[in-house]
Amino acid sequence: MANTTATATISMVIMATTLMTEGKEPVDNERPTVLVHIENHAGVPPETIASARDELAHIFDAVGVRVESSAEPDHSRCVLQLTVHVVLLGGAAADRFITIEHVKRKVLAQANSDARRVYVLWERVGPSVDHQAVGHGDALGLVIAHELGHVLLPARRHSRNGIMQENYNVHRSYTLKFSAEESAAMRAFIDGLQGTPQISRQ
């Protein structure tokens, strides 16, 4: 993608953690909802993707946002509801993306907020946590959560603290969370888009 705009990147060392956000959780059917379609072009094992989906839902439960994710999505829903496509890249496809986008060596994923797409360099995720007590599925879920934060907070960059910071200290990762302000902003962003036609641009 040579014409990527509103791009945000993340480089980090990850530790699995329970990510909590301040405030009460609304009733589930009253929550703002975002669809996450996972496109696996990297041969990621199904069980790893399932773990990532669980971790992603858990993180955003604390935000007050319901994430409905699927590895076999119904694309007819994309037009009716806010949808973010997560593309897992590996092998030659990842190499091409890295070259075209000039992705730095330690970057694990990149979000295009305008297109509502997230690109994950799967072969970089595992090595970033292999020497830590972290499952690859949990790590993938956390990477997607960070990038989804960029899509849902399009006017913002990295924060100094919490899950939206650019670099994570593995020894402090248990404290990471979306701030109350970030959580409120994401809910407002989704609410503002509900009921309007949604187009995910390649």
mmCIF file of all heavy atoms in Angstrom, residues 49-101:
data_model
loop_
_atom_site.group_PDB
_atom_site.id
_atom_site.type_symbol
_atom_site.label_atom_id
_atom_site.label_comp_id
_atom_site.label_asym_id
_atom_site.label_seq_id
_atom_site.Cartn_x
_atom_site.Cartn_y
_atom_site.Cartn_z
ATOM 1 N N ILE A 49 -5.527 -18.326 16.746
ATOM 2 C CA ILE A 49 -6.473 -17.266 16.410
ATOM 3 C C ILE A 49 -7.633 -17.253 17.397
ATOM 4 O O ILE A 49 -8.091 -16.184 17.829
ATOM 5 C CB ILE A 49 -6.982 -17.432 14.975
ATOM 6 C CG1 ILE A 49 -5.829 -17.186 13.986
ATOM 7 C CG2 ILE A 49 -8.144 -16.482 14.685
ATOM 8 C CD1 ILE A 49 -6.204 -17.365 12.540
ATOM 9 N N ALA A 50 -8.095 -18.422 17.801
ATOM 10 C CA ALA A 50 -9.190 -18.489 18.780
ATOM 11 C C ALA A 50 -8.774 -17.846 20.100
ATOM 12 O O ALA A 50 -9.555 -17.102 20.716
ATOM 13 C CB ALA A 50 -9.607 -19.942 18.998
ATOM 14 N N SER A 51 -7.542 -18.114 20.546
ATOM 15 C CA SER A 51 -7.045 -17.495 21.781
ATOM 16 C C SER A 51 -6.928 -15.986 21.635
ATOM 17 O O SER A 51 -7.240 -15.234 22.562
ATOM 18 C CB SER A 51 -5.683 -18.083 22.156
ATOM 19 O OG SER A 51 -5.789 -19.460 22.464
ATOM 20 N N ALA A 52 -6.479 -15.540 20.467
ATOM 21 C CA ALA A 52 -6.358 -14.105 20.213
ATOM 22 C C ALA A 52 -7.722 -13.436 20.244
ATOM 23 O O ALA A 52 -7.877 -12.337 20.787
ATOM 24 C CB ALA A 52 -5.684 -13.858 18.866
ATOM 25 N N ARG A 53 -8.725 -14.088 19.677
ATOM 26 C CA ARG A 53 -10.074 -13.528 19.680
ATOM 27 C C ARG A 53 -10.605 -13.414 21.105
ATOM 28 O O ARG A 53 -11.250 -12.416 21.463
ATOM 29 C CB ARG A 53 -11.002 -14.393 18.834
ATOM 30 C CG ARG A 53 -10.693 -14.359 17.333
ATOM 31 C CD ARG A 53 -11.522 -15.373 16.570
ATOM 32 N NE ARG A 53 -12.941 -15.114 16.792
ATOM 33 C CZ ARG A 53 -13.896 -16.036 16.596
ATOM 34 N NH1 ARG A 53 -13.567 -17.264 16.194
ATOM 35 N NH2 ARG A 53 -15.154 -15.726 16.812
ATOM 36 N N ASP A 54 -10.339 -14.414 21.930
ATOM 37 C CA ASP A 54 -10.773 -14.366 23.323
ATOM 38 C C ASP A 54 -10.099 -13.211 24.066
ATOM 39 O O ASP A 54 -10.743 -12.480 24.835
ATOM 40 C CB ASP A 54 -10.445 -15.683 24.032
ATOM 41 C CG ASP A 54 -11.344 -16.827 23.581
ATOM 42 O OD1 ASP A 54 -12.402 -16.557 22.969
ATOM 43 O OD2 ASP A 54 -10.971 -17.995 23.831
ATOM 44 N N GLU A 55 -8.792 -13.054 23.850
ATOM 45 C CA GLU A 55 -8.051 -11.986 24.522
ATOM 46 C C GLU A 55 -8.541 -10.618 24.063
ATOM 47 O O GLU A 55 -8.706 -9.692 24.870
ATOM 48 C CB GLU A 55 -6.554 -12.137 24.236
ATOM 49 C CG GLU A 55 -5.670 -11.088 24.910
ATOM 50 C CD GLU A 55 -5.612 -11.217 26.420
ATOM 51 O OE1 GLU A 55 -6.171 -12.201 26.970
ATOM 52 O OE2 GLU A 55 -5.021 -10.334 27.061
ATOM 53 N N LEU A 56 -8.792 -10.476 22.771
ATOM 54 C CA LEU A 56 -9.277 -9.215 22.225
ATOM 55 C C LEU A 56 -10.626 -8.849 22.838
ATOM 56 O O LEU A 56 -10.852 -7.704 23.251
ATOM 57 C CB LEU A 56 -9.402 -9.338 20.704
ATOM 58 C CG LEU A 56 -9.845 -8.105 19.932
ATOM 59 C CD1 LEU A 56 -8.811 -6.991 20.055
ATOM 60 C CD2 LEU A 56 -10.075 -8.452 18.463
ATOM 61 N N ALA A 57 -11.543 -9.817 22.905
ATOM 62 C CA ALA A 57 -12.863 -9.559 23.498
ATOM 63 C C ALA A 57 -12.728 -9.183 24.965
ATOM 64 O O ALA A 57 -13.419 -8.269 25.450
ATOM 65 C CB ALA A 57 -13.748 -10.795 23.343
ATOM 66 N N HIS A 58 -11.831 -9.853 25.675
ATOM 67 C CA HIS A 58 -11.617 -9.576 27.098
ATOM 68 C C HIS A 58 -11.118 -8.146 27.308
ATOM 69 O O HIS A 58 -11.599 -7.430 28.195
ATOM 70 C CB HIS A 58 -10.614 -10.578 27.661
ATOM 71 C CG HIS A 58 -10.148 -10.274 29.039
ATOM 72 N ND1 HIS A 58 -10.968 -10.371 30.143
ATOM 73 C CD2 HIS A 58 -8.939 -9.854 29.505
ATOM 74 C CE1 HIS A 58 -10.284 -10.037 31.219
ATOM 75 N NE2 HIS A 58 -9.057 -9.716 30.859
ATOM 76 N N ILE A 59 -10.155 -7.735 26.508
ATOM 77 C CA ILE A 59 -9.594 -6.386 26.641
ATOM 78 C C ILE A 59 -10.669 -5.330 26.420
ATOM 79 O O ILE A 59 -10.790 -4.363 27.184
ATOM 80 C CB ILE A 59 -8.433 -6.193 25.647
ATOM 81 C CG1 ILE A 59 -7.228 -7.069 26.046
ATOM 82 C CG2 ILE A 59 -8.022 -4.717 25.573
ATOM 83 C CD1 ILE A 59 -6.138 -7.143 24.997
ATOM 84 N N PHE A 60 -11.469 -5.516 25.381
ATOM 85 C CA PHE A 60 -12.465 -4.497 25.059
ATOM 86 C C PHE A 60 -13.719 -4.594 25.918
ATOM 87 O O PHE A 60 -14.472 -3.614 26.020
ATOM 88 C CB PHE A 60 -12.783 -4.516 23.568
ATOM 89 C CG PHE A 60 -11.788 -3.727 22.773
ATOM 90 C CD1 PHE A 60 -10.650 -4.332 22.271
ATOM 91 C CD2 PHE A 60 -11.952 -2.369 22.571
ATOM 92 C CE1 PHE A 60 -9.708 -3.599 21.570
ATOM 93 C CE2 PHE A 60 -11.030 -1.624 21.870
ATOM 94 C CZ PHE A 60 -9.894 -2.242 21.369
ATOM 95 N N ASP A 61 -13.954 -5.723 26.572
ATOM 96 C CA ASP A 61 -15.012 -5.785 27.571
ATOM 97 C C ASP A 61 -14.774 -4.734 28.652
ATOM 98 O O ASP A 61 -15.708 -4.074 29.115
ATOM 99 C CB ASP A 61 -15.053 -7.170 28.224
ATOM 100 C CG ASP A 61 -15.858 -8.175 27.416
ATOM 101 O OD1 ASP A 61 -16.579 -7.753 26.487
ATOM 102 O OD2 ASP A 61 -15.757 -9.376 27.714
ATOM 103 N N ALA A 62 -13.516 -4.584 29.046
ATOM 104 C CA ALA A 62 -13.173 -3.616 30.085
ATOM 105 C C ALA A 62 -13.343 -2.183 29.614
ATOM 106 O O ALA A 62 -13.493 -1.268 30.420
ATOM 107 C CB ALA A 62 -11.727 -3.847 30.546
ATOM 108 N N VAL A 63 -13.335 -1.979 28.299
ATOM 109 C CA VAL A 63 -13.510 -0.650 27.718
ATOM 110 C C VAL A 63 -14.997 -0.291 27.634
ATOM 111 O O VAL A 63 -15.357 0.886 27.554
ATOM 112 C CB VAL A 63 -12.865 -0.598 26.307
ATOM 113 C CG1 VAL A 63 -13.165 0.694 25.578
ATOM 114 C CG2 VAL A 63 -11.356 -0.806 26.427
ATOM 115 N N GLY A 64 -15.856 -1.312 27.665
ATOM 116 C CA GLY A 64 -17.272 -1.087 27.453
ATOM 117 C C GLY A 64 -17.655 -1.207 25.992
ATOM 118 O O GLY A 64 -18.687 -0.698 25.561
ATOM 119 N N VAL A 65 -16.823 -1.898 25.215
ATOM 120 C CA VAL A 65 -17.060 -2.112 23.789
ATOM 121 C C VAL A 65 -17.136 -3.619 23.536
ATOM 122 O O VAL A 65 -16.299 -4.383 24.013
ATOM 123 C CB VAL A 65 -15.933 -1.500 22.936
ATOM 124 C CG1 VAL A 65 -16.035 -1.943 21.483
ATOM 125 C CG2 VAL A 65 -15.969 0.023 23.023
ATOM 126 N N ARG A 66 -18.135 -4.022 22.782
ATOM 127 C CA ARG A 66 -18.263 -5.433 22.418
ATOM 128 C C ARG A 66 -17.573 -5.656 21.083
ATOM 129 O O ARG A 66 -17.916 -5.013 20.082
ATOM 130 C CB ARG A 66 -19.733 -5.836 22.326
ATOM 131 C CG ARG A 66 -19.933 -7.322 22.025
ATOM 132 C CD ARG A 66 -21.384 -7.726 22.202
ATOM 133 N NE ARG A 66 -22.283 -6.828 21.489
ATOM 134 C CZ ARG A 66 -23.432 -7.225 20.934
ATOM 135 N NH1 ARG A 66 -23.794 -8.484 21.008
ATOM 136 N NH2 ARG A 66 -24.213 -6.367 20.326
ATOM 137 N N VAL A 67 -16.611 -6.540 21.058
ATOM 138 C CA VAL A 67 -15.914 -6.911 19.824
ATOM 139 C C VAL A 67 -16.438 -8.270 19.368
ATOM 140 O O VAL A 67 -16.326 -9.256 20.090
ATOM 141 C CB VAL A 67 -14.393 -6.967 20.024
ATOM 142 C CG1 VAL A 67 -13.720 -7.584 18.811
ATOM 143 C CG2 VAL A 67 -13.834 -5.575 20.277
ATOM 144 N N GLU A 68 -17.036 -8.300 18.198
ATOM 145 C CA GLU A 68 -17.459 -9.549 17.582
ATOM 146 C C GLU A 68 -16.444 -9.892 16.500
ATOM 147 O O GLU A 68 -16.380 -9.230 15.466
ATOM 148 C CB GLU A 68 -18.851 -9.409 16.960
ATOM 149 C CG GLU A 68 -19.967 -9.170 17.957
ATOM 150 C CD GLU A 68 -21.329 -9.149 17.294
ATOM 151 O OE1 GLU A 68 -21.435 -9.579 16.116
ATOM 152 O OE2 GLU A 68 -22.279 -8.697 17.944
ATOM 153 N N SER A 69 -15.649 -10.910 16.751
ATOM 154 C CA SER A 69 -14.595 -11.257 15.802
ATOM 155 C C SER A 69 -14.888 -12.599 15.165
ATOM 156 O O SER A 69 -15.577 -13.449 15.728
ATOM 157 C CB SER A 69 -13.232 -11.296 16.496
ATOM 158 O OG SER A 69 -13.207 -12.322 17.480
ATOM 159 N N SER A 70 -14.342 -12.780 13.977
ATOM 160 C CA SER A 70 -14.541 -14.035 13.258
ATOM 161 C C SER A 70 -13.391 -14.271 12.296
ATOM 162 O O SER A 70 -12.895 -13.338 11.671
ATOM 163 C CB SER A 70 -15.861 -14.013 12.481
ATOM 164 O OG SER A 70 -16.007 -15.202 11.717
ATOM 165 N N ALA A 71 -12.968 -15.526 12.209
ATOM 166 C CA ALA A 71 -11.968 -15.908 11.215
ATOM 167 C C ALA A 71 -12.641 -16.361 9.917
ATOM 168 O O ALA A 71 -11.974 -16.581 8.910
ATOM 169 C CB ALA A 71 -11.087 -17.029 11.763
ATOM 170 N N GLU A 72 -13.970 -16.509 9.950
ATOM 171 C CA GLU A 72 -14.754 -16.844 8.758
ATOM 172 C C GLU A 72 -15.943 -15.900 8.717
ATOM 173 O O GLU A 72 -17.097 -16.293 8.939
ATOM 174 C CB GLU A 72 -15.210 -18.305 8.811
ATOM 175 C CG GLU A 72 -14.049 -19.304 8.808
ATOM 176 C CD GLU A 72 -14.525 -20.740 8.866
ATOM 177 O OE1 GLU A 72 -15.750 -20.958 8.989
ATOM 178 O OE2 GLU A 72 -13.682 -21.645 8.764
ATOM 179 N N PRO A 73 -15.682 -14.632 8.437
ATOM 180 C CA PRO A 73 -16.710 -13.599 8.601
ATOM 181 C C PRO A 73 -17.783 -13.613 7.520
ATOM 182 O O PRO A 73 -17.573 -14.092 6.412
ATOM 183 C CB PRO A 73 -15.896 -12.306 8.517
ATOM 184 C CG PRO A 73 -14.713 -12.653 7.671
ATOM 185 C CD PRO A 73 -14.384 -14.080 8.017
ATOM 186 N N ASP A 74 -18.923 -13.056 7.895
ATOM 187 C CA ASP A 74 -20.015 -12.811 6.966
ATOM 188 C C ASP A 74 -19.869 -11.373 6.470
ATOM 189 O O ASP A 74 -20.230 -10.426 7.155
ATOM 190 C CB ASP A 74 -21.355 -12.999 7.679
ATOM 191 C CG ASP A 74 -22.549 -12.655 6.792
ATOM 192 O OD1 ASP A 74 -22.335 -12.382 5.593
ATOM 193 O OD2 ASP A 74 -23.681 -12.651 7.308
ATOM 194 N N HIS A 75 -19.324 -11.210 5.274
ATOM 195 C CA HIS A 75 -18.997 -9.878 4.785
ATOM 196 C C HIS A 75 -20.233 -9.040 4.476
ATOM 197 O O HIS A 75 -20.124 -7.825 4.313
ATOM 198 C CB HIS A 75 -18.100 -9.980 3.546
ATOM 199 C CG HIS A 75 -16.724 -10.470 3.855
ATOM 200 N ND1 HIS A 75 -15.768 -9.696 4.466
ATOM 201 C CD2 HIS A 75 -16.149 -11.690 3.660
ATOM 202 C CE1 HIS A 75 -14.656 -10.392 4.623
ATOM 203 N NE2 HIS A 75 -14.860 -11.608 4.140
ATOM 204 N N SER A 76 -21.388 -9.648 4.421
ATOM 205 C CA SER A 76 -22.599 -8.865 4.171
ATOM 206 C C SER A 76 -22.904 -7.920 5.329
ATOM 207 O O SER A 76 -23.597 -6.914 5.157
ATOM 208 C CB SER A 76 -23.787 -9.806 3.946
ATOM 209 O OG SER A 76 -24.087 -10.545 5.118
ATOM 210 N N ARG A 77 -22.349 -8.207 6.508
ATOM 211 C CA ARG A 77 -22.577 -7.343 7.668
ATOM 212 C C ARG A 77 -21.695 -6.100 7.654
ATOM 213 O O ARG A 77 -21.963 -5.142 8.372
ATOM 214 C CB ARG A 77 -22.333 -8.125 8.964
ATOM 215 C CG ARG A 77 -23.264 -9.303 9.181
ATOM 216 C CD ARG A 77 -22.998 -9.960 10.515
ATOM 217 N NE ARG A 77 -23.281 -9.062 11.623
ATOM 218 C CZ ARG A 77 -22.912 -9.309 12.869
ATOM 219 N NH1 ARG A 77 -22.246 -10.414 13.171
ATOM 220 N NH2 ARG A 77 -23.207 -8.455 13.845
ATOM 221 N N CYS A 78 -20.661 -6.123 6.833
ATOM 222 C CA CYS A 78 -19.706 -4.999 6.822
ATOM 223 C C CYS A 78 -20.373 -3.681 6.441
ATOM 224 O O CYS A 78 -19.969 -2.613 6.916
ATOM 225 C CB CYS A 78 -18.561 -5.279 5.851
ATOM 226 S SG CYS A 78 -17.557 -6.708 6.260
ATOM 227 N N VAL A 79 -21.367 -3.741 5.564
ATOM 228 C CA VAL A 79 -22.016 -2.535 5.083
ATOM 229 C C VAL A 79 -22.884 -1.919 6.165
ATOM 230 O O VAL A 79 -23.135 -0.711 6.169
ATOM 231 C CB VAL A 79 -22.864 -2.845 3.829
ATOM 232 C CG1 VAL A 79 -23.579 -1.601 3.324
ATOM 233 C CG2 VAL A 79 -21.984 -3.415 2.729
ATOM 234 N N LEU A 80 -23.345 -2.748 7.100
ATOM 235 C CA LEU A 80 -24.314 -2.304 8.091
ATOM 236 C C LEU A 80 -23.699 -1.912 9.416
ATOM 237 O O LEU A 80 -24.350 -1.249 10.226
ATOM 238 C CB LEU A 80 -25.346 -3.418 8.325
ATOM 239 C CG LEU A 80 -26.094 -3.913 7.077
ATOM 240 C CD1 LEU A 80 -26.973 -5.093 7.431
ATOM 241 C CD2 LEU A 80 -26.912 -2.781 6.472
ATOM 242 N N GLN A 81 -22.471 -2.312 9.664
ATOM 243 C CA GLN A 81 -21.888 -2.098 10.985
ATOM 244 C C GLN A 81 -20.395 -1.800 10.864
ATOM 245 O O GLN A 81 -19.733 -2.249 9.919
ATOM 246 C CB GLN A 81 -22.096 -3.353 11.849
ATOM 247 C CG GLN A 81 -21.896 -3.116 13.333
ATOM 248 C CD GLN A 81 -22.606 -4.204 14.142
ATOM 249 O OE1 GLN A 81 -23.047 -5.213 13.615
ATOM 250 N NE2 GLN A 81 -22.701 -3.999 15.437
ATOM 251 N N LEU A 82 -19.892 -1.030 11.810
ATOM 252 C CA LEU A 82 -18.469 -0.697 11.817
ATOM 253 C C LEU A 82 -17.643 -1.974 11.825
ATOM 254 O O LEU A 82 -17.793 -2.824 12.700
ATOM 255 C CB LEU A 82 -18.132 0.143 13.047
ATOM 256 C CG LEU A 82 -16.644 0.435 13.280
ATOM 257 C CD1 LEU A 82 -16.059 1.229 12.119
ATOM 258 C CD2 LEU A 82 -16.452 1.177 14.594
ATOM 259 N N THR A 83 -16.784 -2.112 10.829
ATOM 260 C CA THR A 83 -15.990 -3.324 10.664
ATOM 261 C C THR A 83 -14.527 -2.974 10.465
ATOM 262 O O THR A 83 -14.191 -2.070 9.709
ATOM 263 C CB THR A 83 -16.477 -4.135 9.439
ATOM 264 O OG1 THR A 83 -17.864 -4.413 9.589
ATOM 265 C CG2 THR A 83 -15.706 -5.438 9.312
ATOM 266 N N VAL A 84 -13.667 -3.700 11.151
ATOM 267 C CA VAL A 84 -12.222 -3.563 10.973
ATOM 268 C C VAL A 84 -11.690 -4.899 10.474
ATOM 269 O O VAL A 84 -11.982 -5.953 11.045
ATOM 270 C CB VAL A 84 -11.527 -3.173 12.288
ATOM 271 C CG1 VAL A 84 -10.013 -3.105 12.092
ATOM 272 C CG2 VAL A 84 -12.063 -1.837 12.807
ATOM 273 N N HIS A 85 -10.941 -4.848 9.382
ATOM 274 C CA HIS A 85 -10.337 -6.057 8.821
ATOM 275 C C HIS A 85 -8.906 -6.183 9.345
ATOM 276 O O HIS A 85 -8.104 -5.250 9.208
ATOM 277 C CB HIS A 85 -10.341 -6.004 7.300
ATOM 278 C CG HIS A 85 -11.709 -6.078 6.713
ATOM 279 N ND1 HIS A 85 -12.284 -7.262 6.305
ATOM 280 C CD2 HIS A 85 -12.639 -5.123 6.492
ATOM 281 C CE1 HIS A 85 -13.503 -7.036 5.848
ATOM 282 N NE2 HIS A 85 -13.742 -5.738 5.942
ATOM 283 N N VAL A 86 -8.616 -7.322 9.936
ATOM 284 C CA VAL A 86 -7.278 -7.611 10.446
ATOM 285 C C VAL A 86 -6.640 -8.628 9.521
ATOM 286 O O VAL A 86 -7.149 -9.743 9.357
ATOM 287 C CB VAL A 86 -7.332 -8.159 11.880
ATOM 288 C CG1 VAL A 86 -5.933 -8.567 12.350
ATOM 289 C CG2 VAL A 86 -7.919 -7.113 12.829
ATOM 290 N N VAL A 87 -5.547 -8.246 8.899
ATOM 291 C CA VAL A 87 -4.876 -9.094 7.926
ATOM 292 C C VAL A 87 -3.583 -9.628 8.545
ATOM 293 O O VAL A 87 -2.682 -8.857 8.889
ATOM 294 C CB VAL A 87 -4.562 -8.316 6.634
ATOM 295 C CG1 VAL A 87 -3.939 -9.240 5.598
ATOM 296 C CG2 VAL A 87 -5.826 -7.652 6.084
ATOM 297 N N LEU A 88 -3.505 -10.936 8.705
ATOM 298 C CA LEU A 88 -2.301 -11.577 9.236
ATOM 299 C C LEU A 88 -1.389 -11.935 8.067
ATOM 300 O O LEU A 88 -1.772 -12.727 7.206
ATOM 301 C CB LEU A 88 -2.674 -12.829 10.035
ATOM 302 C CG LEU A 88 -3.747 -12.668 11.125
ATOM 303 C CD1 LEU A 88 -3.997 -13.990 11.830
ATOM 304 C CD2 LEU A 88 -3.355 -11.582 12.114
ATOM 305 N N LEU A 89 -0.215 -11.330 8.049
ATOM 306 C CA LEU A 89 0.711 -11.521 6.933
ATOM 307 C C LEU A 89 1.908 -12.366 7.349
ATOM 308 O O LEU A 89 2.429 -12.233 8.458
ATOM 309 C CB LEU A 89 1.207 -10.160 6.425
ATOM 310 C CG LEU A 89 0.154 -9.219 5.832
ATOM 311 C CD1 LEU A 89 0.784 -7.870 5.506
ATOM 312 C CD2 LEU A 89 -0.474 -9.830 4.587
ATOM 313 N N GLY A 90 2.365 -13.198 6.430
ATOM 314 C CA GLY A 90 3.562 -13.991 6.651
ATOM 315 C C GLY A 90 4.272 -14.239 5.340
ATOM 316 O O GLY A 90 3.731 -13.975 4.264
ATOM 317 N N GLY A 91 5.490 -14.732 5.404
ATOM 318 C CA GLY A 91 6.232 -15.111 4.210
ATOM 319 C C GLY A 91 6.443 -13.966 3.241
ATOM 320 O O GLY A 91 6.727 -12.832 3.621
ATOM 321 N N ALA A 92 6.278 -14.276 1.944
ATOM 322 C CA ALA A 92 6.536 -13.293 0.891
ATOM 323 C C ALA A 92 5.584 -12.105 0.968
ATOM 324 O O ALA A 92 5.974 -10.967 0.680
ATOM 325 C CB ALA A 92 6.419 -13.964 -0.478
ATOM 326 N N ALA A 93 4.329 -12.357 1.383
ATOM 327 C CA ALA A 93 3.367 -11.255 1.499
ATOM 328 C C ALA A 93 3.810 -10.261 2.562
ATOM 329 O O ALA A 93 3.703 -9.031 2.377
ATOM 330 C CB ALA A 93 1.980 -11.796 1.829
ATOM 331 N N ALA A 94 4.318 -10.765 3.667
ATOM 332 C CA ALA A 94 4.819 -9.881 4.721
ATOM 333 C C ALA A 94 6.050 -9.122 4.235
ATOM 334 O O ALA A 94 6.191 -7.917 4.503
ATOM 335 C CB ALA A 94 5.153 -10.700 5.964
ATOM 336 N N ASP A 95 6.931 -9.810 3.527
ATOM 337 C CA ASP A 95 8.143 -9.159 3.012
ATOM 338 C C ASP A 95 7.790 -8.013 2.065
ATOM 339 O O ASP A 95 8.404 -6.937 2.112
ATOM 340 C CB ASP A 95 9.029 -10.177 2.294
ATOM 341 C CG ASP A 95 9.639 -11.196 3.239
ATOM 342 O OD1 ASP A 95 9.702 -10.906 4.456
ATOM 343 O OD2 ASP A 95 10.046 -12.279 2.772
ATOM 344 N N ARG A 96 6.798 -8.236 1.200
ATOM 345 C CA ARG A 96 6.376 -7.175 0.276
ATOM 346 C C ARG A 96 5.811 -5.981 1.031
ATOM 347 O O ARG A 96 6.115 -4.826 0.713
ATOM 348 C CB ARG A 96 5.334 -7.719 -0.711
ATOM 349 C CG ARG A 96 5.896 -8.595 -1.809
ATOM 350 C CD ARG A 96 4.882 -8.810 -2.919
ATOM 351 N NE ARG A 96 3.683 -9.479 -2.437
ATOM 352 C CZ ARG A 96 3.543 -10.807 -2.378
ATOM 353 N NH1 ARG A 96 4.538 -11.600 -2.769
ATOM 354 N NH2 ARG A 96 2.414 -11.345 -1.949
ATOM 355 N N PHE A 97 4.990 -6.268 2.026
ATOM 356 C CA PHE A 97 4.394 -5.195 2.819
ATOM 357 C C PHE A 97 5.474 -4.383 3.535
ATOM 358 O O PHE A 97 5.442 -3.147 3.556
ATOM 359 C CB PHE A 97 3.412 -5.775 3.836
ATOM 360 C CG PHE A 97 2.686 -4.743 4.642
ATOM 361 C CD1 PHE A 97 1.549 -4.127 4.148
ATOM 362 C CD2 PHE A 97 3.129 -4.385 5.911
ATOM 363 C CE1 PHE A 97 0.868 -3.177 4.892
ATOM 364 C CE2 PHE A 97 2.469 -3.437 6.662
ATOM 365 C CZ PHE A 97 1.324 -2.821 6.149
ATOM 366 N N ILE A 98 6.440 -5.073 4.106
ATOM 367 C CA ILE A 98 7.535 -4.409 4.824
ATOM 368 C C ILE A 98 8.313 -3.502 3.877
ATOM 369 O O ILE A 98 8.667 -2.364 4.232
ATOM 370 C CB ILE A 98 8.471 -5.463 5.460
ATOM 371 C CG1 ILE A 98 7.755 -6.155 6.632
ATOM 372 C CG2 ILE A 98 9.776 -4.829 5.929
ATOM 373 C CD1 ILE A 98 8.451 -7.406 7.122
ATOM 374 N N THR A 99 8.550 -3.979 2.672
ATOM 375 C CA THR A 99 9.304 -3.194 1.691
ATOM 376 C C THR A 99 8.510 -1.981 1.212
ATOM 377 O O THR A 99 9.027 -0.857 1.189
ATOM 378 C CB THR A 99 9.676 -4.073 0.481
ATOM 379 O OG1 THR A 99 10.491 -5.166 0.926
ATOM 380 C CG2 THR A 99 10.443 -3.263 -0.553
ATOM 381 N N ILE A 100 7.259 -2.198 0.851
ATOM 382 C CA ILE A 100 6.436 -1.110 0.314
ATOM 383 C C ILE A 100 6.171 -0.040 1.364
ATOM 384 O O ILE A 100 6.229 1.162 1.080
ATOM 385 C CB ILE A 100 5.106 -1.668 -0.225
ATOM 386 C CG1 ILE A 100 5.358 -2.536 -1.462
ATOM 387 C CG2 ILE A 100 4.131 -0.544 -0.577
ATOM 388 C CD1 ILE A 100 4.150 -3.306 -1.923
ATOM 389 N N GLU A 101 5.905 -0.475 2.597
ATOM 390 C CA GLU A 101 5.548 0.459 3.665
ATOM 391 C C GLU A 101 6.752 0.948 4.468
ATOM 392 O O GLU A 101 6.587 1.763 5.372
ATOM 393 C CB GLU A 101 4.543 -0.200 4.611
ATOM 394 C CG GLU A 101 3.198 -0.484 3.984
ATOM 395 C CD GLU A 101 2.471 0.774 3.566
ATOM 396 O OE1 GLU A 101 2.529 1.776 4.303
ATOM 397 O OE2 GLU A 101 1.859 0.763 2.485
#
